[in-house]
Amino acid sequence: MNQYDSARFKSALCGTFEVYEKQLTPAMVSIWWAALKQFPIDDFCKALTEHIMDPDVGQFVPKPADVVKKISGTKSDNAMLAWGKVTTAIRHGGSKSVCFDDPAINQTILDMGGWPALCMTETDKLQFKAKSFESRYKQYVANPPQNPPTHLIGREEKSNNQFGFTSDAPVMIGDKQQARLNYSKAPKADYAVLPLVNGGAE
């Protein structure tokens, strides 16, 4: 959150405390802000609502730690779901390029060495890749990448690029419409016909 979110932050917090018929002091608001300002305002407001509706703890006035738990738990669940998309997509293999519907997935896999490298991971070692993926992914969810890759290049496209040949569009993973939108941001290469090499003679 930033200073532009402070009014919404205070309004959501005051409204929550009113539900419990409790009063907030300026000092309490400052403490809450210091503890939770690292989270997006939407996550904060959603977490307050989830606490109020939680049948196990909703009868108690929330504390900052309750909100952190709601937010962190949600991000962990999302990271696991994202990894599920990845493991499903691995069946396409590293030869084909792929494009996920979530830019954070594309960026995370690129950071981990790229698509072909991930696909070559032995099955019994994928669990270690999963931990690395989920940790990196959650960071990108909290701080979205500014220029994520439009897609993940497979071996075929990499080879074609080297020789100036065009490639098929990548396999769209997840929400295909959103994946295509991500891919549409890729610059279109102007491929030229390569001249024939004639023994170096002019």
Side-chain angles (χ1 to χ4, degrees):
M1 290 181 277
N2 54 46
Q3 60 180 340
Y4 301 106
D5 298 318
S6 59
R8 184 180 171 191
F9 172 87
K10 184 176 181 180
S11 176
L13 190 59
C14 288
T16 299
F17 270 63
E18 286 178 4
V19 170
Y20 295 95
E21 300 181 347
K22 300 292 184 181
Q23 294 293 322
L24 268 176
T25 66
M28 291 169 66
V29 173
S30 296
I31 292 172
W32 274 79
W33 176 262
L36 297 163
K37 64 182 180 180
Q38 73 268 30
F39 297 110
I41 184 64
D42 288 342
D43 287 358
F44 170 75
C45 293
K46 181 181 178 182
L48 285 177
T49 300
E50 289 179 352
H51 178 89
I52 293 171
M53 298 177 64
D54 192 316
D56 295 322
V57 298
Q59 68 270 34
F60 304 112
V61 180
K63 297 180 176 61
D66 296 319
V67 175
V68 171
K69 184 177 181 180
K70 291 291 185 184
I71 295 175
S72 298
T74 298
K75 289 183 176 179
S76 295
D77 293 343
N78 288 340
M80 292 177 64
L81 290 173
W83 178 247
K85 289 183 183 179
V86 175
T87 55
T88 299
I90 285 178
R91 61 184 170 82
H92 293 290
S95 294
K96 298 293 184 181
S97 297
V98 296
C99 181
F100 287 87
D101 56 357
D102 184 349
I105 296 179
N106 291 332
Q107 183 67 64
T108 300
I109 294 176
L110 182 64
D111 290 353
M112 294 173 64
W115 182 241
L118 180 62
C119 289
M120 291 176 63
T121 304
E122 296 177 7
T123 303
D124 60 346
K125 295 182 179 178
L126 277 176
Q127 58 180 325
F128 302 108
K129 291 289 186 179
K131 293 180 179 179
S132 176
F133 174 89
E134 292 174 10
S135 176
R136 292 171 183 265
Y137 177 82
K138 284 187 282 188
Q139 292 178 15
Y140 281 125
V141 169
N143 298 288
Q146 295 300 311
N147 296 294
T150 56
H151 65 295
L152 297 169
I153 296 177
R155 289 190 297 272
E156 291 179 2
E157 183 177 353
K158 181 178 180 180
S159 178
N160 286 339
N161 289 345
Q162 291 175 341
F163 293 100
F165 300 140
T166 58
S167 300
D168 293 334
V171 179
M172 303 299 166
I173 308 298
D175 184 325
K176 289 181 170 50
Q177 183 175 357
Q178 181 59 50
R180 290 191 186 98
L181 179 61
N182 295 338
Y183 179 59
S184 70
K185 299 174 184 177
K188 298 298 182 281
D190 183 15
Y191 292 101
V193 177
L194 292 177
L196 292 175
V197 178
N198 188 19
E202 295 293 340

